[in-house]
Each structure stands twice: as C-alpha cells, then as structure tokens.
Amino acid sequence: MQEYEAERLSAPQLAAMRRSLTGGRGALTRRSLLRASGAGALALGGLGALSACGIPPAAREGDGAAASDDHSAREKRVTFSNWTEYMDVGEDERTRPTLQAFTERTGITVKYTEDINDNVEFFGKIKPQLAAGQDTGRDLIVVTDWLAARVIRLGWAQKLDPANLPHAFANLSAQFRSPDWDPGRAHSYPWTGIPAVIAYNAKATGGRTVDSVTQLLDDPRLKGRVSFLSEMRDSVGLTLLDMGKDPASFTDADYDAAIGRLREGVERKQIRRFTGNDYTADLSKGDIAACVAWAGDIIQLQADNPDIEYAIPAAGYVTSTDNLLVPARARHKTNAEKLIDHYYEPPVAARLAAYINYVCPVDGVAAELAAIDPAMASNTLILPDGPMAAKSHSFRSLGPQEETAYEEKFAALIGA
C-alpha cells in the first residue's frame, strides 16, 4: 500500500493530464478523419482464413502481477476496453470486422467497450479494484506509455505468456521492442505509435523547408509564427534531441537546459504559444508558419491543404505509444493474449492501420496495406521505413518525484 500511496498524482501531474484531456493526446480523435477509399475491400473471409502458425518466441524473464485463475478454457470470451474511434468498423458503421474475424476463427466472443476517454479518468475507474487485488471486469486495456509504466511498476499488469503470442513476438517492429518501462515487452504490446515531428505551411514560409527545432527557435523569419505542444514529453524531447541529448537518458541538468532554451524562445516572442491539437486551424491558415505537431494531425491536414508539409529533424523525433495490458486478476488472460496476437498478424494490422491512421507497430504489413490504399502504405508516418524508424526516440520513464519537478518547470514555462 505504501508504494501505491507514493504513486498518487501530484498537482503538477494532474494539471498536465488535464491539458492532455482538453487539447493534447487525450483529446485526439484516435483515428484520422480520413477513410481509406478501399477500407471495406479487405474481405472478412480473408481475415478468417489467416494462418495460426508463427515463430515460437524466446522465453522472457521478470516477475509480473499475481495471476488470477484463468477461466479462458471454460469461458470462451474476453472483455476489451479501448479508446473511442480506435477500432476499424464495417461499411455499415456497426460491425467491427477484425473483432468479428477473431471470434469466427477462435470461437472467443469479444465484449468491446469504448470506455477510455482519458488516461487519468480511466485509471481512477480501475485503481480501487487493482489496489484491492480484485478483478476489474476487464481482460484487456489500452493505455498510454506513462500510465502503462505506472501500472506495471505497481504490479497491476500480468506478465504475458509468450507461447500465446507467436505473431506478436515475431512481427513487433524493432523500434517498439524494449521500452525502459517494460524491457522485452514482458507485460505489454503497443497498439499504435504517436510521433511528434515538425510541420509547416510552405506558403507561409515562402517555400522554405523547416526541419529543426533550431529553426523554430532561431529563424527570425518565423518570429511570432511558431508553436510548440503543451505535452511536456514531446516539446522537451524534441528540444533535447536538437541539443544533442537523448530523451531516453538525459539528466536533470539536460532537462533544465532544454527548458531554458524554450524559455528564450518565449521571451524573444519567437514562440507564439504552446498548444494542444488546436494548432491545426492556425497552421492550415498560415497564422502558424511552423510547429511541433502530431503525425495523425498532419495526415488529416494534408488531405485538404497541399501547402502542409512535414519534416523529420536530422536529430530525430519523439514517439509515444498506446499499449495493450492484461490487468491483474483478469479472468480470461489466455483469451486476451490470443486477441493481442490476432492484431499482430499483417492482414489484421493493415486493416486496423487503414482505419486509425497512426503508426503501425507491426512489421510486414506494407503489401497488405497497399492492397487497401497504396498512399497509406507508402506514408512513413503510418509505416516508418528503416531510416524513419532509426530516428524515433522515446522519452524515458519518470519516477513520481521526478515527474512532479519536471511538470512544475514546464507548467511555469507555458504559463499553465
């Protein structure tokens, strides 16, 4: 219980999460407004015929949460909680083809609920049961990396059985394989990745490319027409990279230097404001010439405005993840693992990626996605190629005291 008490969110952490809910990642639609023109072309029968074979994964080490009695063999069902608009739907907007295909192939029914609207709010729903060692009523959940790290650290996520995850182990993209908060993915698998890169309006920049944080902060031609995100990990992470520091291994001094660099941009009025995803309208109009942006927003904007461009800084970019976890005491752990593995088979992963338009963490889906929408298959914001993936960096996990101190400094910077 003492460890649980130590994990209570501080005032700065809660303020940061409220920013996320109202304008940041928590407010993202979780799916591009675009629809793949051929999204319905992937026949359900094709999904149902997928092979169950795969490469047996190596054993993993590490202790997970105390396992519950697994009722999967007797109770052929699984309860899955996810974010809204984070699952493919059929042409009638009522069916969910990839879930239906899973049930037809395995006989396991899925109770799918879109009851996650914000990480903090959802954590508040389930933590009383988790803290009491009780079943939450959910076998599978999707939460963002910082919360996944906390749930795992508290011992509230079950260790996954690699024997039930042959496709997941074989097909997980290298860039997502070993986050510092879950080495070797012993307790989690990513549902999708969320990159933060640089976007600019080519008309507003006079045709000039903007491809570095240094340009955002120092180019006088951009003065007053630059925005950064109100998500600390994205804005500070990109600034750290621009300063030659790794977001996965920086020190307190590095963090303070990055905050100082951004503060200079504020004081010189180079930075217009820090935003949630409300930067999109200003960027499209050209009031914001260049900014730190989320990849999913860029894909949407480019569909309507040919002047919107993006750049991957030579120093790299920051990617966060939303992640699948099996909560402690879940009744149907094996069934949940089979469902995770289902979404790591390329035809299934392609169908999902075509609908939600975020980074697909599954290797080998290019041909499948090309059959649905060739433009998506060639878009490195959805399917990063080798050079793109090599530039992706994760912001390291933070302890409670460290996160409080960092969020306090960032809140003072952005005036939150």
Side-chain angles (χ1 to χ4, degrees):
M1 181 61 72
Q2 288 181 345
E3 185 181 10
Y4 167 63
E5 293 293 332
E7 290 285 342
R8 288 187 176 183
L9 295 175
S10 65
Q13 288 171 305
L14 286 170
M17 294 310 108
R18 279 192 287 271
R19 290 198 304 272
S20 178
L21 175 61
T22 57
R25 286 190 192 130
L28 292 175
T29 307
R30 300 276 164 181
R31 172 181 65 82
S32 171
L33 295 177
L34 304 176
R35 293 287 183 86
S37 59
L42 187 57
L44 190 61
L47 287 173
L50 293 172
S51 169
C53 66
I55 302 172
R60 303 178 191 174
E61 298 178 355
D63 295 327
S68 61
D69 291 332
D70 192 349
H71 300 265
S72 292
R74 297 186 301 277
E75 300 174 1
K76 303 289 284 184
R77 59 180 181 269
V78 61
T79 301
F80 183 9
S81 283
N82 204 349
W83 298 76
T84 57
E85 303 291 348
Y86 226 14
M87 178 67 70
D88 59 295
V89 299
E91 292 181 354
D92 60 4
E93 297 290 332
R94 292 191 300 272
T95 59
R96 301 191 182 278
T98 58
L99 287 176
Q100 186 174 338
F102 174 76
T103 297
E104 291 180 351
R105 186 173 60 181
T106 65
I108 300 169
T109 60
V110 182
K111 180 182 178 182
Y112 182 75
T113 307
E114 294 181 335
D115 61 345
I116 306 178
N117 297 302
D118 170 59
N119 284 290
V120 172
E121 178 188 50
F122 182 68
F123 190 48
K125 289 181 183 178
I126 63 175
K127 71 181 180 182
Q129 291 93 348
L130 292 171
Q134 298 172 352
D135 178 15
T136 66
R138 299 166 176 86
D139 302 303
L140 192 61
I141 62 175
V142 178
V143 293
T144 304
D145 42 24
W146 66 266
L147 181 54
R150 180 170 288 120
V151 172
I152 292 169
R153 185 165 63 240
L154 289 167
W156 293 346
Q158 294 196 48
K159 184 178 179 182
L160 301 175
D161 184 351
N164 295 323
L165 296 159
H167 298 96
F169 180 84
N171 297 331
L172 176 60
S173 297
Q175 73 178 97
F176 299 113
R177 280 193 173 266
S178 194
D180 66 347
W181 47 269
D182 189 22
R185 289 286 179 182
H187 307 85
S188 69
Y189 271 91
W191 182 248
T192 192
I194 307 172
V197 299
I198 292 176
Y200 60 96
N201 185 315
K203 184 176 181 180
T205 65
R208 296 185 303 275
T209 298
V210 181
D211 59 7
S212 72
V213 170
T214 294
Q215 277 181 278
L216 291 177
L217 293 175
D218 294 338
D219 188 340
R221 295 170 295 187
L222 299 176
K223 185 174 182 178
R225 297 189 297 154
V226 168
S227 68
F228 279 72
L229 293 169
S230 59
E231 294 280 354
M232 180 268 287
R233 288 166 175 80
D234 294 324
S235 289
V236 174
L238 281 168
T239 304
L240 285 166
L241 285 167
D242 193 69
M243 297 169 63
K245 304 297 182 180
D246 186 352
S249 60
F250 64 90
T251 65
D252 288 348
D254 295 333
Y255 183 86
D256 289 344
I259 291 290
R261 181 88 171 90
L262 289 167
R263 184 176 295 110
E264 290 176 2
V266 172
E267 292 173 349
R268 289 188 288 103
K269 301 188 184 304
Q270 179 80 4
I271 298 175
R272 180 169 182 160
R273 62 192 180 106
F274 289 84
T275 76
N277 61 355
D278 53 325
Y279 66 86
T280 55
D282 286 343
L283 179 64
S284 188
K285 290 186 295 184
D287 293 340
I288 291 291
C291 62
V292 175
W294 286 303
D297 290 335
I298 296 170
I299 294 171
Q300 294 178 31
L301 289 173
Q302 287 181 324
D304 298 319
N305 188 339
D307 294 324
I308 301 302
E309 303 284 352
Y310 74 93
I312 305 301
Y317 64 100
V318 176
T319 302
S320 62
T321 53
D322 283 337
N323 306 273
L324 295 150
L325 298 175
V326 178
R329 305 299 177 185
R331 286 179 62 88
H332 310 106
K333 176 175 178 287
T334 297
N335 292 344
E337 291 166 338
K338 290 179 179 179
L339 184 56
I340 293 173
D341 200 59
H342 175 69
Y343 280 99
Y344 273 80
E345 298 189 45
V348 183
R351 177 65 185 255
L352 182 67
Y355 190 81
I356 65 175
N357 292 173
Y358 289 100
V359 170
C360 179
V362 183
D363 281 341
V365 303
E368 300 286 350
L369 188 54
I372 302 171
D373 189 318
M376 287 187 182
S378 62
N379 191 331
T380 55
L381 293 179
I382 297 175
L383 294 184
D385 56 16
M388 178 85 165
K391 291 186 175 182
S392 174
H393 296 264
S394 298
F395 198 96
R396 68 174 173 81
S397 56
L398 304 174
Q401 293 181 344
E402 191 176 40
E403 185 171 12
T404 295
Y406 288 178
E407 288 290 3
E408 283 179 344
K409 293 174 180 179
F410 189 69
L413 167 71
I414 69 176

